[in-house]
Amino acid sequence: MGEATAEAPSGSLMVDLIISLDGYASAEGWPGWWGLEGPEYLAWLKQEGEKGYTFLLGANTYRLMSSMSAEAAAEGSEFSEDEGASLTGLAAVPKVVFSSTLQAPLTWPNSELVTTDAVEAVAEMKRTGTGPLSTLGSLSLCRSLLTAGLVDRFRLVVFPVITGRTGRERIYDGYPDVSLEMVASRTFDGRLQLLEYVPTVLSSPPGSGPT
């Protein structure tokens, strides 16, 4: 184990999430990244954005992230320079948005709308192998893709906070049982822990029958 894998093979799919220690994706009243992003983590995010991923997201994440990206690009933005660069850079990367409520054309640059079943569409994207795929937020989409057995890598960046009272969006609710083989790890800024796994969805607990 060591630093995260450098290049994802064509057609591979990674679920990529940030998470509090107690399993939440965000918390009411807390700033983005729980206010704990540092220079190493932000530099790594920039490097990841240059690896040619096509990002997969749902309607809610699209609305949130496109709004934040536009705000970061506006004059007088309250985002820091590093935060702004990370958010505005998302406009330039290819994105596929799965939604039955949004209407084409989407206003965020390089965003393609798919209104058909997300699991079937992603399975076809993986089959054709047009490039590496990664989720962007979108907890229900991540859950559906993992349950369907389409996820090749499951990557977390764990932030050292417990938000038991203010936490929102519990990440693992509704998940199947999954075994995880660690393939990479890294610490950012002495406090954020990256963990990368190969997931295997289980039909029953280990030792109790076929998996």
Side-chain angles (χ1 to χ4, degrees):
M1 292 184 294
E3 292 198 2
T5 49
E7 298 294 338
S10 181
S12 67
L13 169 61
M14 178 169 62
V15 160
D16 195 18
L17 298 167
I18 64 172
I19 184 171
S20 67
L21 187 61
D22 55 341
Y24 289 98
S26 62
E28 185 177 355
W30 289 67
W33 293 311
W34 291 276
L36 294 174
E37 72 279 8
E40 288 182 4
Y41 178 59
L42 292 172
W44 174 79
L45 284 178
K46 182 179 179 182
Q47 293 168 2
E48 286 296 294
E50 297 169 351
K51 289 185 177 179
Y53 289 108
T54 294
F55 288 99
L56 312 178
L57 57 157
N60 290 338
T61 298
Y62 171 83
R63 293 185 183 99
L64 174 65
M65 298 303 295
S66 61
S67 174
M68 291 175 64
S69 180
E71 181 183 345
E75 186 175 351
S77 168
E78 295 184 358
F79 290 106
S80 70
E81 182 178 349
D82 287 330
E83 289 173 329
S86 178
L87 288 167
T88 56
L90 288 172
V93 300
K95 298 170 288 292
V96 177
V97 184
F98 300 96
S99 174
S100 59
T101 58
L102 294 173
Q103 299 293 319
L106 299 177
T107 57
W108 203 10
N110 298 299
S111 297
E112 175 189 354
L113 177 64
V114 174
T115 59
T116 56
D117 180 75
V119 169
E120 293 181 2
V122 173
E124 178 63 16
M125 294 172 70
K126 285 172 58 67
R127 188 189 67 78
T128 56
T130 54
L133 309 171
S134 177
T135 58
L136 181 64
S138 308
L139 300 187
S140 61
L141 175 64
C142 293
R143 182 173 60 245
S144 296
L145 296 175
L146 183 69
T147 301
L150 294 176
V151 177
D152 302 292
R153 290 289 189 273
F154 191 81
R155 188 169 73 183
L156 305 170
V157 176
V158 182
F159 285 69
V161 295
I162 294 173
T163 55
R165 182 173 59 84
T166 57
R168 297 293 182 269
E169 300 179 294
R170 286 182 57 86
I171 285 181
Y172 302 125
D173 286 355
Y175 266 53
D177 287 358
V178 183
S179 67
L180 299 168
E181 177 189 356
M182 182 177 284
V183 292
S185 64
R186 178 177 175 181
T187 300
F188 300 110
D189 305 296
R191 57 179 179 260
L192 310 183
Q193 187 68 47
L194 179 147
L195 304 169
E196 184 172 344
Y197 302 96
V198 173
T200 300
V201 177
L202 304 177
S203 60
S204 58
S208 63
T211 59

